[in-house]
Amino acid sequence: MPLNRRTFLGTSAVAGAGVAITGAVGGAPAAAAPRAKRYSFTVMGTTDLHGNVFNWDYFTDKEFDDKAHNDVGLAKISTLVERVREEKGRRNTLLIDAGDTIQGTQLSYYYAKVDPITAERGPVHPMAQAMNAIGYDAAALGNHEFNYGIPVLRKFQQQCDFPLLGANALDAKTLRPAFPPYSMHRLCTPFGRDVRVAVLGLTNPGIAIWDKANVSGKMVFPGLEEQAAKWVPKLRSMGADVVIVSAHSGSSGTSSYGDQLPYIENAAALVAEQVPGIDAILVGHAHTEIPEYRVKNRATGKDVVLSEPLKWGQRLTLFDFDLVWSKGRWTVEKVGAEVLNSNTVEEDPEIVKLLGDEHAKVVAYVNQVIGTSTAVMSTADAPWKDEPIIDLINHVQAETVRAALAGGEYGSLPVLSQASCFSRTARIPAGQVTIKDAAGLYPFENTLEARLLTGAQLKDYLEFSARYYVQTPAGAPVDPSKLTNAGGTPDYNYDAVYGLSYEIDIAKPAGSRIVNLSFEGKPLDPAARFVLAVNNYRASGGGAFPHVAGTKQLWANSDEIRNTIIQWVKAQGTVDPGHFASVDWKLTRDGVPVF
């Protein structure tokens, strides 16, 4: 017999009930032990959806796919959610999110910048429409919620039928929460006493530096542990039987921006360890998959269960809670977690129908032709070779900064530029170039800055970047698939610097790899001053690169680098690598090029 809502409500009332004992001494029947009252429910969770409604890649204009054949999008998540609700009973489930919802795809960008939700009679954001239709109960704020500015976020908040939570997103003047800190939910049991479930939302303190231009003087973001320690006892005193934290913060206890803030970026496990009274934490931000991770709380000795579903709607976390009625209250007896894979189901036709028009608009937008290219350019080899397609990013950035500083105090200084290979599948075709082609080079909403650095600082910067490569002795075979991402360094934290000439000797240990570093044919002067065109993530300390975050800011732009590239292509009409591409860096071993 399939388990539907009606049968679940009946069976959950007796699940795990105590067994009556018979056969007492002397043959007299023993009194039946009272059956314990038990109740089970499930909390489903997503995180880092990043504007993905459909299983579609707007940067390639085709169905999303990766090496593991994952699928993405809320339309897939909706199907999984409905299956869980059918199995468990809708009233025995909650659905929450751990942040980063409104940035990441051209769909979300379109409704923030091209046809903004903040316009008079503006549209409803596709993510709000989809999440409302699926029936989310609460969502934590992510750091990328602030990328488009507070007005866009506030409008999105108004359009959501569920609360956006941020206990550590405080008003800068009053130091009071600028968003609801928590939400309280009641689950009906067969025994008359509801289960009260509190969801505490925590966001990332890195917002203060990553989106400084949008939040400075308006909001502050203290540490997660501090705010959890403040709010969890309050939630318990308010009668919460279960406390769940939805945290836009990874579990590793590390930070990607060095010492720029006195708070830990990835603090979810520390919250579990240090703050008593938490039953489970939905983890976000780190873009990793953690089906179940148990952390013992120092004060209580009890396990706190953490789970992080994979980004973009690739996974759905299930927290299964078993409760028992004891001493006049519900007590958590057991918690377990698992993740479901969205590639096992079809997209929910209701979500597809709901947002079909929005999808079609964005597909038409990304296919607009903005210019032509004289040659094919690809990022396929960019992680280990100086490729023209990365030179294109750097050339546009350097040219933009040079024009901005012209005629000023720093206008005569040489302008260098940094860029990363954000996607190994980005491509500029020969012939017509569309918005999606140019936008695919820069999937992040980073903006451009100009910082003042010395030659010595730039060498340190390059040495730090070169740790990306696995040390490989001279003469040993080189497999490009195993050469990069040493120590878990992601592609976006390897920078090529445009305007200098240098070699990276991968036979040497990290920290002493940069050789033959020169500028305009001469050895780099450690005391010389340069302007570095740099994205705001790196300039604010992202990746913990040395020097750049502490150096003088000469200029900053509010427009996305992606859009700057698009506008540059439109203005030029034709993209010719011969005008900007050159091989300025290469990998070597004992002076011999690797490739």
Side-chain angles (χ1 to χ4, degrees):
M1 178 179 179
L3 188 62
N4 57 30
R5 177 175 173 272
R6 179 174 296 174
T7 57
F8 179 83
L9 287 173
T11 57
S12 66
V14 296
V19 179
I21 300 174
T22 59
V25 176
R35 291 188 175 187
K37 298 177 181 178
R38 298 182 184 276
Y39 175 70
S40 299
F41 71 96
T42 297
V43 176
M44 298 173 281
T46 55
T47 190
D48 297 280
L49 293 168
H50 283 288
N52 285 280
V53 173
F54 302 105
N55 188 43
W56 195 259
D57 184 346
Y58 293 95
F59 293 122
T60 61
D61 196 27
K62 60 185 180 181
E63 185 173 317
F64 176 87
D65 194 24
D66 61 13
K67 292 180 180 178
H69 301 298
N70 288 301
D71 288 347
V72 300
L74 278 170
K76 293 263 184 174
I77 290 295
S78 182
T79 302
L80 288 176
V81 167
E82 287 309 307
R83 288 190 177 185
V84 173
R85 286 171 173 163
E86 182 179 350
E87 176 189 348
K88 308 287 188 179
R90 186 183 182 98
R91 292 187 181 181
N92 303 306
T93 65
L94 293 172
L95 175 60
I96 64 176
D97 183 79
D100 276 6
T101 57
I102 63 172
Q103 173 278 333
T105 64
Q106 286 292 283
L107 179 69
S108 54
Y109 178 83
Y110 186 89
Y111 288 99
K113 291 296 188 78
V114 181
D115 186 11
I117 60 176
T118 50
E120 186 176 352
R121 299 181 181 178
V124 177
H125 198 288
M127 294 300 287
Q129 291 191 59
M131 294 174 82
N132 288 342
I134 295 169
Y136 273 78
D137 294 288
L141 293 165
N143 53 285
H144 284 288
E145 261 65 84
F146 294 85
N147 286 172
Y148 299 121
I150 292 174
V152 169
L153 176 53
R154 287 300 190 191
K155 188 64 177 181
F156 176 70
Q157 181 186 23
Q158 293 172 11
Q159 294 178 342
C160 291
D161 294 340
F162 51 90
L164 297 183
L165 308 177
N168 61 328
L170 310 182
D171 182 274
K173 294 181 180 178
T174 66
L175 298 182
R176 300 180 67 179
F179 292 84
Y182 66 90
S183 58
M184 192 74 77
H185 309 268
R186 287 181 176 267
L187 298 177
C188 297
T189 75
F191 307 109
R193 167 67 159 79
D194 295 344
V195 170
R196 287 167 287 193
V197 181
V199 179
L200 178 67
L202 295 170
T203 192
N204 205 287
I207 295 166
I209 56 173
W210 299 326
D211 272 298
K212 182 178 180 180
N214 291 327
V215 301
S216 181
K218 300 172 184 176
M219 293 185 192
V220 294
F221 302 87
L224 281 81
E225 307 101 304
E226 168 193 323
Q227 293 301 303
K230 173 182 176 180
W231 283 101
V232 171
K234 290 185 179 182
L235 297 174
R236 289 294 185 182
S237 69
M238 293 165 59
D241 302 298
V242 180
V243 173
I244 301 166
V245 174
S246 183
H248 193 75
S249 179
S251 62
S252 65
T254 63
S255 292
S256 66
Y257 50 85
D259 59 359
Q260 296 302 302
L261 273 181
Y263 306 117
I264 299 295
E265 176 184 354
N266 295 301
L270 295 175
V271 171
E273 181 182 67
Q274 297 177 13
V275 181
I278 298 169
D279 297 297
I281 300 180
L282 177 65
V283 179
H285 183 62
H287 290 202
T288 58
E289 181 177 345
I290 305 174
E292 182 184 89
Y293 174 39
R294 293 179 176 270
V295 176
K296 194 172 294 294
N297 184 266
R298 288 179 182 175
T300 65
K302 294 181 179 179
D303 281 354
V304 181
V305 177
L306 284 68
S307 180
E308 181 176 4
L310 200 57
K311 64 186 185 300
W312 305 347
Q314 295 179 43
R315 303 288 187 273
L316 176 71
T317 278
L318 303 186
F319 290 105
D320 289 314
F321 291 85
D322 292 333
L323 277 62
V324 62
W325 181 262
S326 175
K327 299 179 180 180
R329 60 168 298 172
W330 289 108
T331 302
V332 174
E333 189 174 50
K334 185 173 69 172
V335 185
E338 62 177 315
V339 294
L340 304 181
N341 195 329
S342 65
N343 71 8
T344 62
V345 297
E346 298 299 317
E347 291 185 327
D348 183 341
E350 293 299 319
I351 301 299
V352 173
K353 180 180 179 181
L354 177 68
L355 290 162
D357 290 345
E358 287 83 350
H359 174 70
K361 280 184 181 180
V362 176
V363 167
Y365 165 73
V366 300
N367 280 288
Q368 291 180 44
V369 175
I370 56 174
T372 60
S373 175
T374 63
V376 175
M377 292 181 284
S378 167
T379 57
D381 294 333
W384 50 85
K385 290 183 181 178
D386 187 350
E387 290 287 282
I389 197 166
I390 304 299
D391 287 344
L392 172 60
I393 299 172
N394 273 320
H395 178 73
V396 172
Q397 292 182 162
E399 194 173 90
T400 301
V401 167
R402 195 175 292 114
L405 298 180
E409 179 183 356
Y410 302 97
S412 62
L413 292 179
V415 178
L416 313 176
S417 179
Q418 63 78 222
S420 303
C421 176
F422 293 120
S423 167
R424 297 193 182 194
T425 59
R427 183 177 180 273
I428 298 292
Q432 291 186 336
V433 178
T434 63
I435 284 177
K436 73 174 186 291
D437 298 324
L441 293 180
Y442 226 106
F444 297 106
E445 308 297 326
N446 294 340
T447 57
L448 187 61
E449 295 190 15
R451 295 281 178 141
L452 184 66
L453 278 83
T454 66
Q457 289 174 327
L458 285 163
K459 185 176 188 300
D460 289 345
Y461 189 100
L462 289 170
E463 288 285 9
F464 185 85
S465 184
R467 70 195 174 105
Y468 170 73
Y469 295 106
V470 175
Q471 187 174 3
T472 309
V478 176
D479 180 353
S481 68
K482 299 177 181 178
L483 180 62
T484 62
N485 308 104
T489 303
D491 290 350
Y492 63 77
N493 273 342
Y494 169 67
D495 288 356
V497 173
Y498 179 81
L500 298 175
S501 179
Y502 58 97
E503 298 172 13
I504 302 173
D505 190 334
I506 60 172
K508 297 181 183 295
S512 58
R513 291 177 169 175
I514 303 300
V515 295
N516 297 327
L517 177 59
S518 64
F519 173 68
E520 294 184 343
K522 298 179 182 179
L524 186 68
D525 179 358
R529 298 196 305 168
F530 296 87
V531 176
L532 181 66
V534 59
N535 68 51
N536 68 307
Y537 172 73
R538 189 72 77 237
S540 62
F545 276 62
H547 305 305
V548 65
T551 59
K552 183 178 180 63
Q553 183 191 75
L554 307 181
W555 173 84
N557 193 10
S558 62
D559 203 10
E560 295 86 0
I561 293 171
R562 174 200 302 149
N563 199 44
T564 301
I565 295 170
I566 291 169
Q567 296 307 317
W568 185 89
V569 174
K570 283 183 177 180
Q572 295 295 315
T574 300
V575 179
D576 183 355
H579 292 162
F580 55 79
S582 60
V583 178
D584 296 318
W585 66 269
K586 56 180 175 286
L587 302 185
T588 62
R589 291 182 294 183
D590 294 340
V592 179
V594 176
F595 299 106

